[in-house]
Amino acid sequence: MSADNELIERSHRHPASFAELYDRHATAVHRYAAQRLGEHSADDIMSETFLVAFEKRESYDASIVDARPWLLGIATRLMRKHVRLEARAWKGMVAGLAAQVAPDVIERAGSRLDAARLTKRLASAFRSLSAVDRDTLLLYAWADLDYAAIAAALEVPVGTVRSRLNRARRLMRDAAAVASASTDREIDHGRTDSAAQQA
């Protein structure tokens, strides 16, 4: 089986060979777009991604074997054009988003934490991320790219990816901590009220 860079190189002479790149990566691009924008928009983003990739294949860096970061970078830039659509999609994905972006926070909180409040807090924090921080976090969490692949997808240095992910994680942790502290205060307040009623 040919590597991605070989397929792209071959497609300069035989355009039909680009179809193998589509077969190899269409599912990953579609899944990433569907998680961000919903199934209906994912079809359009996936199709447009491969159209743009085909048109720009001459500029592909042939030294890079795996084309998936390049394709997901194109998809991410295309999705920025759908900001209003994505904002609407976030409203309907609050619970699923929190579970996928920060499942460890929810698990650690256990029964003490009001999961609905945490979900709302995390979704709000997620929406407040800058577009570039959100893109970076989602390429890491949903597209399963490592730092170097995210850097390639977004055409930024690896250090920029690290700082964006650190900033996004800190914001999400802070939101989870605020929700946890609020729940603890309510539990303590409930105990105080109960003790006062018993006295």
Side-chain angles (χ1 to χ4, degrees), residues 8-184:
I8 293 170
E9 282 292 312
R10 191 179 315 137
S11 75
H12 298 283
R13 297 179 307 280
H14 307 289
S17 62
F18 197 82
E20 193 173 333
L21 192 72
Y22 175 88
D23 293 340
R24 193 174 288 175
H25 297 293
T27 301
V29 172
H30 187 275
R31 182 174 47 246
Y32 175 62
Q35 288 176 305
R36 290 193 64 169
L37 299 178
E39 286 291 327
H40 177 70
S41 297
D43 293 337
D44 293 339
I45 292 294
M46 183 189 65
S47 299
E48 204 173 338
T49 295
F50 282 94
L51 178 63
V52 169
F54 182 78
E55 291 170 353
K56 294 188 175 202
R57 70 191 189 283
E58 296 284 342
S59 66
Y60 184 76
D61 182 351
S63 68
I64 300 172
V65 175
D66 183 10
R68 192 168 63 108
W70 177 61
L71 294 167
L72 291 170
I74 292 170
T76 298
R77 285 186 285 285
L78 290 170
M79 283 187 274
R80 286 185 189 150
K81 296 177 182 179
H82 295 262
V83 172
R84 277 177 272 133
L85 183 62
E86 187 175 28
R88 234 180 294 130
W90 292 131
K91 290 179 184 175
M93 294 175 12
V94 172
L97 172 66
Q100 290 182 30
V101 172
D104 55 324
V105 175
I106 294 172
E107 288 172 12
R108 278 196 317 267
S111 61
R112 288 180 43 250
L113 192 59
D114 177 3
R117 177 175 288 125
L118 175 62
T119 298
K120 186 175 179 182
R121 207 45 94 176
L122 288 173
S124 176
F126 193 82
R127 282 192 304 270
S128 73
L129 289 173
S130 68
V132 292
D133 287 354
R134 186 168 46 246
D135 289 342
T136 304
L137 182 61
L138 292 178
L139 283 167
Y140 182 77
W142 286 352
D144 199 28
L145 295 182
D146 63 18
Y147 288 19
I150 295 168
L154 298 178
E155 299 173 350
V156 298
V158 172
T160 301
V161 170
R162 289 184 199 285
S163 64
R164 287 177 182 176
L165 280 174
N166 284 337
R167 190 170 40 241
R169 287 174 174 149
R170 186 174 52 250
L171 184 67
M172 300 302 281
R173 275 193 305 270
D174 290 349
V178 167
S180 179
S182 174
T183 300
D184 289 346

